[in-house]
Amino acid sequence: MCVANQKGGVGKTTTAVNIAVALALHGNRVLVIDLDPQGNASTGLNVPHHSGVPDVYDCLIDGAPLDAVTQQVEGIPNLWAVPATIDLAGAEIELVSVVARESRLKRAIEAGGDNYDYIFIDCPPSLGLLTVNALVAAEEVLIPIQCEYYALEGVQALTNNIELVRSHLNPKLDITTVLLTMYDRRTRLADLVEQDVRNHFGEKCLNAVIPRNVRVSEAPSYSQSVMTYDPGSRGAVSYFEAAQEIALRGAQGAQVGGVA
């Protein structure tokens, strides 16, 4: 599942990290691939990602299998991460001349990523080659949408890109999940945005909504997810509900697939 939205600051990394931790704490084997050169997901999971650490760059440019760059996340037995170092910042340019440049991540996952229940790919805030690699490797897209005025403005470009990737590179790809983030129930605007997004995406929207919550913002500064930093906070409870919905939808989809 790739977590994508080319708008920055909508909660992509926070969503990828917290949902992954919530699922791992409940017994699922989960991998987080940090595909953002800023390395925020690596920070949030307290995974070393200084220069020189084996990272996702090695998979994209040198063809390393995923296993070779995967680290166990400390304190959470079922969670692993592939970090992003600053080297990844140049990968966008270096990939331009690489053979089969759009499917490098997919190949790395196929070469060593089949022992997980969930793989989350945290995308950078752009629609460049890194995001395209994530879309080609994934089967599902999770779009976090901030409850603000311009919420749906950039989503059209993202959905067009997803459509292009589906028709040319990855027919399995589908937008399955939309999550509303930074919801402030005191404002009328948040209600209007929620209605707009639910009208636009219908059943793809999760019922769980992530509120604006200071604990969610504080957790990364302690190199933690909000799930471990303050499990009783509104933010943690909301992310747990979102993870539960994603798990239930996945189980129902598997049953339907099995019947078919």
Side-chain angles (χ1 to χ4, degrees):
M1 184 178 268
C2 102
V3 184
N5 188 334
Q6 78 272 25
K7 272 191 75 173
V10 298
K12 284 187 296 296
T13 300
T14 306
T15 295
V17 165
N18 286 302
I19 288 181
V21 170
L23 289 166
L25 289 172
H26 286 81
N28 298 284
R29 295 171 61 82
V30 184
L31 174 69
V32 177
I33 300 174
D34 190 353
L35 208 58
D36 186 347
Q38 295 175 72
N40 291 339
S42 308
T43 302
L45 293 168
N46 198 21
V47 170
H49 60 105
H50 51 81
S51 192
V53 170
D55 76 325
V56 72
Y57 173 89
D58 301 325
C59 299
L60 296 172
I61 305 300
D62 301 329
L66 213 58
D67 291 352
V69 297
T70 301
Q71 299 184 33
Q72 167 80 55
V73 175
E74 200 180 326
I76 304 173
N78 292 315
L79 187 59
W80 290 264
V82 175
T85 68
I86 195 65
D87 298 341
L88 196 58
E92 198 93 44
I93 297 159
E94 291 177 62
L95 277 169
V96 171
S97 57
V98 171
V99 177
R101 60 192 182 188
E102 298 94 352
S103 54
R104 303 289 288 184
L105 182 62
K106 182 181 182 183
R107 286 183 180 186
I109 291 172
E110 285 172 348
D114 18 332
N115 50 348
Y116 302 102
D117 299 311
Y118 295 90
I119 298 177
F120 289 95
I121 308 170
D122 182 32
C123 293
S126 73
L127 293 176
L129 269 172
L130 291 174
T131 301
V132 169
N133 261 274
L135 293 172
V136 171
E139 291 180 5
E140 301 182 32
V141 183
L142 189 166
I143 306 178
I145 297 183
Q146 187 180 3
C147 293
E148 303 254 320
Y149 181 65
Y150 293 118
L152 280 171
E153 198 157 83
V155 174
Q156 191 61 49
L158 177 62
T159 50
N160 290 345
N161 252 41
I162 289 167
E163 207 46 60
L164 278 171
V165 170
R166 183 177 22 221
S167 52
H168 295 290
L169 297 163
N170 181 6
K172 288 183 180 173
L173 188 65
D174 193 20
I175 299 170
T176 58
T177 314
V178 175
L179 177 64
L180 288 156
T181 62
M182 303 181 198
Y183 183 88
D184 187 345
R185 61 184 70 252
R186 297 168 301 180
T187 64
R188 187 157 169 266
L189 176 64
D191 279 344
L192 294 173
V193 171
E194 182 177 9
Q195 285 168 26
D196 269 2
V197 172
R198 290 195 187 280
N199 289 340
H200 186 78
F201 285 105
E203 289 184 357
K204 293 179 179 182
C205 282
L206 294 179
N207 294 323
V209 172
I210 310 304
R212 277 198 180 278
N213 182 238
V214 71
R215 294 304 203 201
V216 173
S217 313
E218 283 174 0
S221 62
Y222 294 90
S223 296
Q224 288 189 50
S225 69
V226 74
M227 313 303 294
T228 50
Y229 175 64
D230 188 353
S233 65
R234 273 182 34 244
V237 170
S238 302
Y239 269 118
F240 170 66
E241 287 169 358
Q244 208 171 18
E245 268 188 85
I246 287 169
L248 282 170
R249 288 179 177 203
Q252 286 161 357
Q255 279 178 347
V256 170
V259 171

